[in-house]
Amino acid sequence: MAGNYILSQSDGGRVLSFSDIEEVDEIKREIRGRLLLWHQAVATTITHVHTGNRAHQAKTQENIRKEQDQYFAELNEYRKQQSDYEEKVIEGEHMRSFDANYKRPFPTFIECYWIHQACISMAAIAFCQIFNSGYRDPGKVAANTKSFRKEHWDQILELVFYDEDEKVEFNDFCERLQSIRNSMLGHADGNAYDVEHGADITRLKTMEYDVYDLDLKYWMSFLEPLRISILKYSEGTK
């Protein structure tokens, strides 16, 4: 029976069976699997934030402004040809019929705005995969539980942030992302939209207001170091 056992120095000299060794290997594989998903979440976030930031910058560039000015100039000329034209009123039907025949280059000013909103919304959803629960895939991926994050996430952050104030700022930012994701992007909590019922109209805050205010420069400042740190930490689990 001696051939069925191995002495592990890393386990304090305890005698382990081969089944014990296989179980340890399985746990390590599952840890690496979950860390790989964290890495993918951060890498996806980088792509979305970068694209969203590019769209945000593009909509303020000179060529976009010129395109917008040209569009409204031609729309105004089209409106003047309509029988129900009013100088200070843009009829929705006028704009719809004009847009059906007016070919505008992509992306337009408003499309840049919506690309920015969509990308940053998706970035928030992707990044929050790190904090949201995720099921285990036996032998491949560990469950994304609070205890798992407590054991591994804090150690990864030690590789990224060396100052306690930086960690506090980071955690505050993550909490805001989770709040936006949980109350507006992944769900629709009533109190998140500030709904106001009036006599003639009901008003509400749309989700892009919270997304638009996110500090993209700060977000990008830690994403790549975080991605690299997850990889380095993962190497230590082999």
Side-chain angles (χ1 to χ4, degrees), residues 44-215:
T44 301
T45 301
I46 291 173
T47 299
H48 286 310
V49 174
H50 173 75
T51 305
N53 194 41
R54 289 272 294 169
H56 178 72
Q57 293 171 348
K59 74 184 179 66
T60 61
Q61 291 176 356
E62 188 65 24
N63 61 327
I64 297 294
R65 291 199 298 271
K66 286 181 178 179
E67 185 274 330
Q68 193 76 356
D69 291 342
Q70 181 181 353
Y71 168 79
F72 280 109
E74 295 188 30
L75 172 62
N76 197 46
E77 290 300 317
Y78 175 82
R79 290 173 51 239
K80 290 179 180 179
Q81 300 171 18
Q82 310 309 308
S83 59
D84 55 350
Y85 168 74
E86 293 183 42
E87 184 177 356
K88 295 183 178 180
V89 179
I90 299 180
E91 295 289 345
E93 186 57 38
H94 291 175
M95 183 174 287
R96 283 189 290 272
S97 60
F98 178 74
D99 287 345
N101 297 287
Y102 182 81
K103 303 304 179 184
R104 304 174 68 185
F106 178 84
T108 63
F109 176 91
I110 193 62
E111 285 168 337
C112 284
Y113 175 82
W114 288 117
I115 290 170
H116 169 263
Q117 295 300 310
C119 285
I120 302 308
S121 296
M122 285 302 302
I125 292 171
F127 192 76
C128 286
Q129 287 182 342
I130 297 171
F131 308 104
N132 296 327
S133 60
Y135 291 124
R136 174 191 180 217
D137 186 2
K140 298 179 182 180
V141 181
N144 201 30
T145 61
K146 289 183 178 179
S147 60
F148 182 91
R149 290 192 296 274
K150 181 64 177 176
E151 180 179 356
H152 301 286
W153 183 243
D154 290 348
Q155 294 187 60
I156 292 171
L157 294 185
E158 291 291 333
L159 303 174
V160 183
F161 303 106
Y162 304 103
D163 183 272
E164 285 301 319
D165 290 338
E166 290 180 344
K167 293 178 185 177
V168 171
E169 183 180 17
F170 171 79
N171 287 328
D172 288 344
F173 186 80
C174 290
E175 287 181 7
R176 185 180 179 195
L177 286 178
Q178 292 176 76
S179 176
I180 293 172
R181 184 270 177 201
N182 293 337
S183 63
M184 304 190 84
L185 299 177
H187 306 276
D189 291 344
N191 59 358
Y193 289 85
D194 296 335
V195 176
E196 294 181 4
H197 295 288
D200 301 315
I201 190 171
T202 297
R203 303 178 185 274
L204 74 157
K205 178 181 70 175
T206 54
M207 65 180 66
E208 62 262 21
Y209 284 103
D210 279 359
V211 172
Y212 192 82
D213 287 338
L214 289 170
D215 188 341

Side-chain angles (χ1 to χ4, degrees), residues 5-17 20-21 24:
Y5 293 85
I6 186 170
L7 184 63
S8 172
Q9 294 179 349
S10 63
D11 197 40
R14 183 169 70 90
V15 176
L16 301 177
S17 68
D20 290 333
I21 298 300
V24 170

